[in-house]
Amino acid sequence: MTDEIFWELVGTLDGVIDEDSADLLGERLSSVAAEEVKVFCGHLAAKVRALAGLPLEGRPVPDVGDEGRPPIPLAGDAYENLLYAVIAAGRERYEAVLADPAAAEDEEWDAGEAELLVDVVANVLWDVAGLDWYEEFDPLLSGLPADGRWYDTRRGSAWKSAPRQYENAAHALDRALNDSEEWRAWWSQTGLRKVEVGVTVNGDRDVQNVERGTAIARAEFRMGRSYFGERDAAGLRALAVEEAARITGAIARALDMTPPPPLPSSSR
């Protein structure tokens, strides 16, 4: 994929990324070969890296979301969103900012949904090539040290806060699995670097999905609203153990692995 074709695909956004234009880009990108998708990601990462090397952070750059208020200095997510908004705006505006970073302050940007560019590219990359954008390409994360985990978990609930006893027990068990040589040896049979496990409590019913990628696996578990129930502290700690057994068993079956070892003794 040449630079010209990259910008032709970005042109699908018509200068601004929103849900509709993101869907169109996703359709176009999904229609090309996996190797071409990876090259597209390389182009995108290189362009973000070039913008990140400019003195843009801290500049008061106008955005349509300011609604007439004076712009505030860019920081955090607002700064990252601008980088992707500049690319989404197309080649001409990207090259203008690259040539003169101060030019970013001379016009109004629409960066409110710029993260959709990352989302759509990450989704297509996983679907067609089995690769994780954040692991393989994201230039804003490339300088972070690897944490060495093979069992990478996140938990959340959009319904209510998870009970503290459950969270403490679950996180302690996650650490024990990562620290266990027996469990690392078990995971090594996959030939994958790690498994990303997401547990969300907010569904109408229980749903689980495990997918194998090129370098990592992903496991998503959505639990119903009654997941925590009326359990006491001991019951919540037991739930964390039951959860770990359920997750690792599902991973083993989905990836054609041998049965998991016994959970670390501290969890039983």
Side-chain angles (χ1 to χ4, degrees):
M1 178 180 291
T2 64
D3 204 50
E4 293 290 337
I5 295 176
F6 170 84
W7 285 115
E8 179 186 330
L9 286 165
V10 170
T12 305
L13 303 173
D14 199 22
V16 176
I17 187 154
D18 54 25
E19 290 187 4
D20 290 337
S21 63
D23 288 344
L24 288 174
L25 176 60
E27 290 174 9
R28 288 284 307 277
L29 200 54
S30 296
S31 69
V32 304
E35 287 301 316
E36 292 292 275
V37 171
K38 289 191 282 186
V39 177
F40 178 95
C41 290
H43 280 295
L44 178 59
K47 287 167 174 49
V48 174
R49 192 175 293 110
L51 291 174
L54 301 176
L56 291 173
E57 191 168 12
R59 287 184 179 273
V61 176
D63 188 272
V64 296
D66 296 334
E67 298 180 339
R69 297 184 296 272
I72 60 175
L74 290 172
D77 290 344
Y79 164 66
E80 293 184 15
N81 284 351
L82 176 73
L83 303 184
Y84 288 101
V86 170
I87 295 169
R91 185 174 197 166
E92 183 177 344
R93 296 176 74 188
Y94 166 79
E95 291 182 346
V97 172
L98 205 60
D100 179 15
E105 298 178 40
D106 298 335
E107 58 182 302
E108 196 174 58
W109 300 88
D110 192 350
E113 296 184 294
E115 71 277 3
L116 290 174
L117 178 54
V118 181
D119 292 344
V120 69
V121 170
N123 287 339
V124 173
L125 180 65
W126 178 263
D127 289 343
V128 305
L131 292 173
D132 186 285
W133 162 264
Y134 302 98
E135 292 272 329
E136 305 292 339
F137 290 97
D138 193 333
L140 301 177
L141 298 178
S142 59
L144 298 179
D147 59 22
R149 287 180 293 177
W150 70 266
Y151 190 66
D152 188 359
T153 56
R154 66 183 189 280
R155 291 179 175 80
S157 172
W159 176 52
K160 67 176 183 178
S161 298
R164 177 176 53 82
Q165 295 90 342
Y166 156 81
E167 285 196 333
N168 290 346
H171 290 312
L173 187 47
D174 294 344
R175 289 193 298 271
L177 291 174
N178 274 299
D179 292 342
S180 168
E181 291 301 324
E182 182 180 21
W183 277 85
R184 282 186 176 276
W186 174 77
W187 177 250
S188 68
Q189 68 187 280
T190 66
L192 301 175
R193 187 164 61 249
K194 68 177 182 178
V195 57
E196 295 178 344
V197 179
V199 180
T200 305
V201 180
N202 191 36
D204 294 325
R205 59 191 178 89
D206 291 356
V207 178
Q208 66 182 44
N209 182 52
V210 181
E211 297 179 340
R212 182 189 186 101
T214 301
I216 68 172
R218 288 179 175 175
E220 292 290 334
F221 296 84
R222 296 199 296 274
M223 312 304 193
R225 293 186 176 90
S226 61
Y227 188 56
F228 300 126
E230 301 298 325
R231 296 173 186 251
D232 59 13
L236 289 168
R237 290 191 291 270
L239 176 63
V241 177
E242 295 166 11
E243 177 183 280
R246 174 181 178 180
I247 289 172
T248 55
I251 290 170
R253 291 188 296 274
L255 301 184
D256 294 324
M257 303 173 67
T258 59
L263 291 171
S265 57
S266 59
S267 69
R268 291 185 261 125

